[in-house]
Amino acid sequence: MSVTIIFGSDGGATKGVAAKLRKKCQGRSVDIKDATADDFENCHLLILGSPTYGDGTLQTDWEDNIAKLRGAKLAGRKVALFGTGDQVTYPFSFVDAMGILYDEVVELGAEVVGFTETEGYDFVESLAVREGKFVGLALDLDTQSGLTEKRVTAWLSQVLAFAPA
Ligand SMILES: Cc1cc2nc3c(=O)[nH]c(=O)nc-3n(C[C@H](O)[C@H](O)[C@H](O)COP(=O)(O)O)c2cc1C
């Protein structure tokens, strides 16, 4: 079972999460700046991650390279998402970028796996919440860094269960 993690990161937090995920599942992690069509398509499970910037936008390398994602053949493929954000400073746009990625991959016909509960977070609004759940793994390394390891481990076992053997 091969896992590819494609991430964007300004400050390194999301890159660090991608590395953590990679080590735990013996996968590959690729910066969206360097990603090719093969990186999106040649794996059993694709994981995409972005921090949120502005007041609810994708990280700039994702914005600059969004055509790579839009050109990927993801119809019928299982995709999992993670987002990094700060619920205290940005309670009205917490991990919005994960919701933006969700809409992009759903548009491509992908099946998103790995929704998570919103309990344990304190925010007002998020584009990444659909029907009461996060569409992926929401991480706040700014104000809840102590919960990261536990959240990553639980989520990874959840999404790997969906991936083909
Ligand atoms: C200018 C600025 C704007 C931000 N806007 C948001 C936001 O709207 N929503 C959110 O959840 N986090 C926001 N954040 C927090 C970042 O997403 C968070 O610090 C993240 O871990 C950064 O990841 P990186 O180090 O991989 O770039 C913002 C941070 C900065 C500096």
Side-chain angles (χ1 to χ4, degrees), residues 50-162:
S50 175
T52 299
Y53 278 99
D55 270 316
T57 63
L58 275 176
Q59 187 261 352
T60 48
D61 296 317
W62 269 111
E63 287 189 329
D64 293 348
N65 291 279
I66 198 71
K68 291 182 185 175
L69 173 59
R70 291 182 180 159
K73 295 184 183 69
L74 298 184
R77 300 271 315 281
K78 289 191 169 57
V79 175
L81 305 169
F82 71 97
T84 46
D86 174 344
Q87 65 204 295
V88 174
T89 315
Y90 304 95
F92 290 92
S93 56
F94 180 51
V95 295
D96 270 9
M98 184 162 70
I100 297 171
L101 288 177
Y102 175 78
D103 289 332
E104 292 283 347
V105 299
V106 166
E107 183 70 26
L108 294 171
E111 181 192 344
V112 179
V113 297
F115 280 47
T116 60
E117 304 294 336
T118 57
E119 277 83 39
Y121 301 83
D122 189 7
F123 63 97
V124 183
E125 276 178 44
S126 173
L127 263 186
V129 174
R130 306 293 164 97
E131 295 177 12
K133 286 189 172 195
F134 285 119
V135 296
L137 171 66
L139 295 173
D140 184 338
L141 282 83
D142 296 83
T143 76
Q144 291 185 331
S145 62
L147 297 175
T148 302
E149 184 69 29
K150 195 172 143 216
R151 284 174 173 164
V152 165
T153 304
W155 180 75
L156 199 55
S157 60
Q158 183 187 339
V159 298
L160 291 178
F162 282 106

